[in-house]
Amino acid sequence: MKKKPASTPENGKQPISGRADRFFTNHPESPSQLRKVAFLGDYLPRQCGIATFTSDLRNAISTLYPRLECPVVVVNDRDEGYDYPQEVRFEISEQEVGAYQRAADFLNLGNIDVLSVQHEFGIYGGASGGHVLGLLRSVRMPVVTTLHTVLQQPSREQRRIFDEILSLSSRLVVMAGQGAEFLRDIYGVSDEKIDIIPHGIPDVPFTDPSFFKDQFGVEGKQVLLTFGLLSPNKGIENVLNALPAIISEFPDVVYIVLGATHPSLIRDQGETYRLSLERLAKKLGVDKNVIFFNQFVGLAELMEFIGAADIYITPYLNEAQITSGTLAYSFGAGKAIISTPYWHARELLADGRGTLVPFRDSAAIALAVKDMLGNETRRHAMRKNAYLMGRDMVWSNVAHLYAATFSRARREDVNSNRKTFHIATLGQREGELPTWRFDHLLRMTDHVGIFQHAIFTVPNFSHGYCTDDNARALILMTLLRELGEKAPQQYPLTGAYAAFLQHAFNADTGRFRNFMGFNREWLEDVGSEDSHGRALWALGTCVGRSGREDLRGWAANIFEAGLSAVEGFTSPRAWAFTILGVQEYLRTLSGDRMANQFREELTDRLMTLFRNISSPDWMWFEDIVTYDNAKIPHALILSGKWTSRGDVLEVGLKTLRWLAINQTGSDGCFRPVGSDGFWKKGGDPAPFDQQPVEAHAMVSACLEAYSVTTDTFWLLEARRAFDWFLGTNELGIPVYNPQTGGCRDGLHVDRVNLNEGAESTLAFLLSLAEMRRVQDLALTFHPV
């Protein structure tokens, strides 16, 4: 690339000044009362839009107010972190929930006046980014949160997390009026709490695109540009499909696609999307008119690319984008812009400041480009209007606006009776959850699947494999992905567990086999009804929760093929497992009539059992309480909730409460019904052997009960059952082994069973996954 002298203003005129005082004169508050403002978010050199924004905002504030200390707390998406500049003072490992609390302690000890938080659902750990709540609940300074996304139709989980973020923030910043409107109308936020501050942009002169073109070898060409991290939601293929029509009238057009593939897409799919775009360009015969720059460029080089563009195009695929940094940069640089009508573009490009085209409409893109290239007067008028309006968006102005917001947040905080927080002691943190450890899971898994049993921590080959455990393992992998947790070898592990279930299903009989020897030979033609139900539960979970389209399609096919066999089952637990699987399946495919009919039929069967067997002192479905007991009320709670059957929900909650009361030891700890005799009607519960699968079933069912009722009784019951793993049990001995990540095979009357089998280990890991989800959504747990 050639080196150029300092840029020359177009037509020899002086560039229009950014006039950094324009907004400041309307917002006279200064940060004189502030000494220390901390920034939380991603940060350069991490390659993402939030990292760029956080870095630019922090540096603009620091430049305008050199006496103001501006430390940064960053979130890392990889173990090795990044080579950060010196202003980065604390690093959070994205998926380590305890790191968020430590960051809060760091901020509280640092006498921070205001914390500036960047929020986007994808940058923090936990389900829907919920781990950040632990930090926000614990900091004692006012929080100003910049909302990079405001969802019009959030999921239930996203809504709960977002509502709490809004509540914990002293002030909220959005970058467009549409965002403020959503906060008011959808989330009920007062206007007084909202500040609209535009996305900041570099202050660059208004220049002729020809000045930069020879740097990229496109001199004499008409340049179209799209930039940003590459991913399928950008709609690049729609511009490629428009190029043949454009080139037919303007053969010198070059379309530059600038940006590295999004790191998360690289992890999941490699360069599949970029390669598909290159193949499309060749198929259309426009490959000589398209340039892919597969790199993440710095600000100076980025502005040169923007400078060379005659038209900037943002062909995004849907309207749900409240902020676009790439749009703001190009607009402020005085570019003629063609865009689909996502929210930010609709607002910024109104009144002739750009051209809007329908979503996914290549013909409309072609017409707009040809019209703009053929009407130079209109194109330059559009450029000038954009540039003039963009002067209010330069970082120096935006920094003044943020400084005013920080000052107001601090002043309001000082004048309020805000609750003060303190740094938690070790004793107060006894309710924290263990960190993830997958050593034993990896040890117990080979390319076939997960082994059933272990002798101490060594896999026991002689017992081979079973469908029950591989189904549980597949559920775990799906939940980990949904939570954003990154288990080692997660992709091949998922593949092994899925392949085992696929091989276990016998299409001729419509049934799953269960036990397989180490020699890879099935030990039975038809497995138990319970193993069949667990397999359907795992497959339904893949359909309902997996982020992988290939896995969802695979699971849906086997789920449908295996569902009809359940009609002849007699096991209440198999019915319950199937209901759980159907409910997960319906999260994605809610219109499936057969699945809905099975849920209704199996629910009615459980209700009939309860009516026939139960009595005031025996609130159960059978004459004996055996194993995986809480799964039955769990299934009824889910079914009752989603079918709006109050009688079903009532029975589910009533039987779960009865089970919780009767699984309480003399000292208040969780005491599951023992497998050495179980609990027969009219007798006493067997006190031992206590199995990990019972603790997991109780954790899962109680958390579902809390989700439905918001009664904190169920949170405490879930925590009580979970603490059984950690040593709050009748022997006072931990069942979970933090050195291996495995779980021992239960409690005998006088000792713990030191073998760490698959069922036990998966029971703990599944419990931890579900507890981590609720830790982000609810209050901090403290055992009672």
Side-chain angles (χ1 to χ4, degrees), residues 116-175:
S116 173
V117 174
Q118 307 308 312
H119 181 262
E120 176 71 76
F121 283 103
I123 69 173
Y124 300 108
S128 299
H131 284 355
V132 74
L133 293 177
L135 183 151
L136 297 179
R137 292 172 187 145
S138 299
V139 294
R140 60 170 179 251
M141 73 288 302
V143 173
V144 174
T145 301
T146 300
L147 303 171
H148 293 260
T149 295
V150 183
L151 296 176
Q152 188 177 29
Q153 295 179 314
S155 68
R156 185 165 177 266
E157 188 170 63
Q158 289 170 331
R159 179 64 189 258
R160 292 173 78 177
I161 290 171
F162 199 64
D163 279 343
E164 186 167 357
I165 290 171
L166 300 181
S167 175
L168 292 168
S169 301
S170 302
R171 300 204 61 76
L172 302 166
V173 176
V174 291
M175 303 182 203

Side-chain angles (χ1 to χ4, degrees), residues 324-501:
S324 170
T326 65
L327 178 66
Y329 274 35
S330 300
F331 183 87
K335 296 289 109 176
I337 296 175
I338 296 171
S339 177
T340 50
Y342 56 91
W343 295 324
H344 191 196
R346 203 162 57 201
E347 189 169 319
L348 192 62
L349 303 182
D351 301 324
R353 294 188 295 269
T355 296
L356 297 177
V357 295
F359 295 108
R360 305 173 188 269
D361 193 334
S362 297
I365 293 173
L367 286 173
V369 170
K370 289 190 292 184
D371 178 69
M372 200 172 283
L373 289 178
N375 191 336
E376 187 172 352
T377 301
R378 176 172 174 265
R379 187 170 78 250
H380 285 301
M382 186 182 293
R383 290 185 58 211
K384 184 175 180 180
N385 288 339
Y387 186 81
L388 289 172
M389 183 175 174
R391 296 315 86 211
D392 292 338
M393 299 163 57
V394 298
W395 273 116
S396 53
N397 290 334
V398 168
H400 279 306
L401 296 176
Y402 269 95
T405 292
F406 296 156
S407 295
R408 183 172 178 183
R410 179 63 174 169
R411 186 178 67 252
E412 291 171 348
D413 184 72
V414 169
N415 294 336
S416 71
N417 294 318
R418 188 173 185 270
K419 177 183 175 182
T420 58
F421 294 87
H422 61 279
I423 298 171
T425 65
L426 289 175
Q428 291 165 326
R429 289 190 184 172
E430 58 183 323
E432 286 188 358
L433 297 173
T435 57
W436 289 107
R437 185 151 191 176
F438 299 104
D439 304 48
H440 192 58
L441 182 72
L442 293 170
R443 184 183 302 117
M444 289 288 288
T445 302
D446 68 2
H447 68 281
V448 175
I450 190 166
F451 293 105
Q452 282 193 79
H453 297 295
I455 300 175
F456 292 91
T457 60
V458 178
N460 187 347
F461 293 169
S462 63
H463 286 279
Y465 317 82
C466 71
T467 293
D468 281 321
D469 291 334
N470 280 276
R472 294 181 177 107
L474 183 57
I475 293 171
L476 175 65
M477 291 296 106
T478 306
L479 294 183
L480 289 175
R481 181 183 175 93
E482 184 183 43
L483 287 168
E485 304 289 354
K486 297 179 178 65
Q489 302 181 38
Q490 192 164 338
Y491 196 90
L493 288 177
T494 302
Y497 305 142
F500 189 94
L501 293 190

